[in-house]
Amino acid sequence: MDTTGKKRPHPSLGTHFAVLHSLSGLLLLASESLYARDFYFSPSSLEGGADASQVTDLSVFSNPKAQLPGQYPTRIHLNTQLVEERPLRYNNGPDGALQAQLTPLMLRHWGVNVDDFPEMAALPQDQPLPRPIGQYIPAAQADFDFASQTLDLSLPQLAVKQVSAGYIDPSRWDDGIPVLFSDYAFSARDNHGGDTQADNSQYLNLRSGMNLGGWRLRNYSTWSNSGAENAWQTIGTWLQHDIQQIKAQFTAGEDSTRGEVFDSIQYRGVNITSDEEMLPIGERGFAPVIRGIAMSNAMVTIKQNGYVIYQSNVAPGAFEITDLYASTNSGDLEVSVKEADGTEHLFTQPFSSVALMQRPNHLRFETTAGHYRADSGSDDKEPVFVQGSAIYGVNNRLTVYGGATVAEEYVSGVAGIGVNLGQFGSVSADVTIAQTQGHDSEKYRGQSWRLLYTSSIEATNTHFTLASYRYSTSGYYSFADANHLNHDNDDDWRDDYNKRNRIQMSISQPFENGNFYINGYQQDYWGTNRKERSITAGSSYQYAAISYHLNLSWSDTEDDDSDRMVSFGISIPLSRWLPDSWMSYNVSNAKNGATTQNLGLSGTLLEDRSLSYGLQQSHSNESPQNSSSLYSTWRAPFSNLSGGYYTSSDGSRQYSYGASGAVVIHPHGITLSQPLGDQFAIVDAEGAAGLQFQNQRGIRTDMWGNAVIPSLTAYQENRIGLDTTLLPDDVDSSDTALTVVPSRNAAVRAHFSARTGYRMLITLTRPNGKPVPFGAMVNSADGELNGIVDDNGVLYLSGVSDKSILQAQWGSAPGERCTASIDFLSISKSHEATPVKMVTTPCRPGGLQ
């Protein structure tokens, strides 16, 4: 201790602290020096130590920026906007990072103004740029994110075409490949026993066509057979082609006008009309949703202009028809619901144009010349006529439109305006003045005033799909009515009077967990107090996964008895006990006093939920009191098939069945498919069978590797993606998704590079018995297969054929490569049941010749 009484440190401890302090300083300096240089890990450690005779060249992996060069599926973003998804080839740049092999043709395709940069424009258009893109376009960059497989192109705004959102360059519009097809929808029902006579009927709807280049030939025909009546009707045959320069369609043959300024009419002649879907943002065509109630396995029939345009069997309960293919763009739809016991319910669905509005400085037009086509079965006149109309957007608020129709005994003109009401929707008003000459040379003159309103009110989220009112003076006849004026058919009282007032509306009102809708119309005539009325309304609501619905339909045409039906139902999910299934209860009452109660079970089956079913037991206070029914639909790869069975306590039985789909003849063969829609894609998977697709229920490639993807959107990007989670064990594809842009009514090709073969774990051994070194690159003789050997000399490959030749390379010297032959047919049969085959094969020195 010192004189203060405190302990002094031991002399040796002070020496130790000094030494430790010095060592810590040296370690700090050493650590800074260590972090100042790259960390090095000897690849020889992967090959059994420093004494290994051969080491794989793994220099590419020593650079954190580097990846193996090759072809990778890529999402291309131009200035943050997705422009395309496609495979691109990449090479290593000076810093080891992958650089996309871009061609001037690709850049043009993505909207780059290549011609504004002479040095780039002078290069071969289909060859990769020899230097980075930034050396041709100042400030341009192309960065590839390997993790997300995204190529980000950043270009000055002046180097890119200025286009509207959603713009698709017309050079990408695909006219498709030559095809011959027939799109069909067949339905039938057979009734037996009971108090009613046998009621057997069949209906076939055919939309057939042929595509060659940009030309489309179409025929729309129907066939119906109800025992006493057997009829084949041709609704229309026409030839069509795009006119890209004016964004229009040329049509020659039998078709119908668009029905915007004038009512839609059927013609036999020539038509040129602008096509809004060629523009980046355009209004789509309008077709109503048909809603109703079926108390049993019922047949729904829809007529327009005297033609049966839709007929199908539906299961009991509420139904919606959303895939209606109308014969014209206006003209009321007559809907009939015929029950299994023979009772029939009728109502009318109004169908007309929406408010006429157009974007500023844009013109929409239509011209038609030819013969007027009368309704099926009528004796109306079919005079030669010329009709033209135009709609022009003056500014954001105002649209003006007009047109004229001229025939031998008829002339009319229309003028109108459309006003944008902002958040309150849009309204258009017009007046049509017409002069008609009767068979006695008497002339009728009159006017027709029309008001159209469409809206979506954000404050209440109310959707007015259509509300319209028309008033016509006593001397006014539309062109269709004028041709019907001198008819000889006295079966319908409406033929003796011209129209006076007509009002119609369609409202949809969503609310919390539910929705309400109402559709209705009323029309009266000059010279009579008779009226036509029809209304359908309904509401649906969901609470705690339980769904409720209430529906009403009522129609009255004065000449016939009015028809009414009201229905209430509830649906409860049973997923806890039976996956994808529901139990339902429904009660309905008809005007004749019949009250029917239904208890049912429905759901879907199979892995892709392509099979749906329904079982139902019914009880009524009128005969037949009790009935049972079964209904099922299968969305098969080759067609949509449906079938049903109904039996009741009065001894009656009914069988219903149907099929809808298409037969497509194309350059790769003949393919059966689900219904096509207007545009469709033909998938060619190089013979790989069983491939399934995302968001396409039931569709898969056939034994020849072909499939049809239906209902694509014209002039827009359509993504077709493989469902990689459901790939067959013997199939592999380097393509997972493709993007196609079909033109109007096109059948485009979608090619997937799929390989059919085995999935294998291959152990490659050298002549000395040692495995091929870790990291060796392996490629097949055809260049389609590639992989990397692991630390045990094992290689994984998929899509291996029965006989394959592989080359392994682990360095640049001649002795650092070998070749192996795979002959799976000589391998033991014990491998046949396993999804992944395990084989060992010698790898002989030398490369592929």
Side-chain angles (χ1 to χ4, degrees), residues 397 420-426 453-460 462:
R397 291 286 183 180
N420 183 357
L421 303 178
Q423 61 178 335
F424 298 104
S426 59
Y453 176 68
T454 58
S455 176
S456 178
I457 303 176
E458 294 184 6
T460 59
T462 302

Side-chain angles (χ1 to χ4, degrees), residues 771-788:
V772 169
F774 169 74
M777 311 295 179
V778 180
N779 295 282
S780 61
D782 58 7
E784 294 294 327
L785 301 177
N786 55 75
I788 302 176

